[in-house]
Amino acid sequence: MPDQPTQAVQDYLKAIHRLGGADEGVASGKIATALGVKAPSVTGMLKRLADAGWIEYTSGTGAKLSPEGLSEALRVIRRHRLVELFLTQVLKLDWSEVDAEAEALEHAISPRLEQALADYLGEPHEDPHGHPIPSRTGELKSRNLKRLSEFRAGDVVVVREAQDDNPDRLRHWRTQGLTPGARVRVLAYQELDDLFEVEVDGTLIRLGSEGLIGLRGELAASNSAQ
């Protein structure tokens, strides 16, 4: 069993998980980009994580979470997302503000406080941005979602997740009604101009695929049944 993880270890494990490291190796370059650090320092850290038993790592296949590393990554993700939900639901912070706050608080929360938050919030399934919250036993719901820019004219889509690392973009999506649970009707897509026309809550919105980056969803039930 690895030693109690430091904040740096938890940040690495969470980043590796976000990049798909629960199922396959993740290249050190991708981890460096995700964490905003230099590649040589990442290589050294990955070797230490492997020595400690948190990951499986070779320079050829990259970093993959070990069972212990996966469990710890999910614990940190659970705390992060519970804090985000508490900050929005109870303290009424805007959804664009809470990611940075949760990043700071996730490492300081004890297992007891984590469960107290979960109990207070009713053991929630999703954070304010629609991301699934791991259960207290470490289970994370898997969903088959697509980027909104992959849908085409005639599709009616339910927004499920919004990437939470850009506050300005989150605020913009909020003003457009592009939040988890929103139904979006794709009216047209002009490939030459990369321009979407969509309807959200009766309002026509025109935007390029760049404006949809970070939004993921699925066909509405009535649409998928056709």
Side-chain angles (χ1 to χ4, degrees):
M1 174 69 68
D3 294 333
Q4 183 66 23
T6 63
Q7 178 174 331
V9 167
Q10 291 178 334
D11 286 340
Y12 267 79
L13 297 178
K14 190 171 69 167
I16 293 169
H17 183 276
R18 184 170 67 250
L19 294 168
D23 302 310
E24 60 185 7
V26 179
S28 59
K30 289 185 177 180
I31 299 170
T33 300
L35 292 173
V37 296
K38 295 181 179 179
S41 63
V42 170
T43 301
M45 183 62 164
L46 293 180
K47 290 178 180 178
R48 292 193 292 274
L49 291 176
D51 290 342
W54 295 114
I55 65 171
E56 301 166 6
Y57 172 69
T58 66
S59 57
T61 60
K64 182 181 178 182
L65 294 170
S66 68
E68 293 82 5
L70 176 59
S71 294
E72 183 60 31
L74 290 173
R75 275 194 290 270
V76 179
I77 292 168
R78 173 174 165 83
R79 292 171 186 172
H80 181 100
R81 294 176 178 176
L82 285 171
V83 168
E84 286 188 327
L85 195 61
F86 182 83
L87 292 175
T88 54
Q89 285 196 358
V90 180
L91 300 186
K92 306 303 180 184
L93 271 65
D94 189 76
W95 78 327
S96 65
E97 304 173 292
V98 296
D99 180 61
E101 299 293 345
E103 285 286 344
L105 293 170
E106 66 190 24
H107 306 289
I109 291 178
S110 67
R112 181 181 179 185
L113 180 54
E114 170 195 321
Q115 196 51 51
L117 284 173
D119 291 342
Y120 182 84
L121 295 167
E123 200 62 59
H125 298 296
E126 295 180 355
D127 74 8
H129 311 102
H131 302 122
I133 298 175
S135 70
R136 70 177 70 189
T137 56
E139 296 165 339
L140 183 63
K141 183 179 179 181
S142 178
R143 297 187 290 195
N144 186 24
L145 304 180
K146 295 168 58 177
R147 292 175 295 181
L148 257 64
S149 59
E150 296 179 43
F151 294 97
R152 290 297 180 261
D155 290 338
V156 178
V157 183
V158 178
V159 178
R160 293 299 183 199
E161 295 180 3
Q163 193 170 321
D164 59 4
D165 59 355
N166 188 316
D168 289 337
R169 186 169 58 185
L170 284 167
R171 284 190 287 269
H172 189 55
W173 284 335
R174 172 79 75 186
T175 63
Q176 294 176 316
L178 292 169
T179 56
R183 291 173 65 94
V184 178
R185 183 181 299 276
V186 183
L187 302 176
Y189 174 65
Q190 300 173 27
E191 186 172 358
L192 186 61
D193 297 320
D194 186 30
L195 182 67
F196 285 86
E197 290 187 1
V198 301
E199 182 182 297
V200 184
D201 196 23
T203 300
L204 176 65
I205 300 173
R206 294 184 176 88
L207 70 174
S209 57
E210 180 72 21
L212 295 174
I213 288 178
L215 290 171
R216 297 170 63 83
E218 60 188 356
L219 288 173
S222 59
N223 195 233
S224 59
Q226 293 178 0

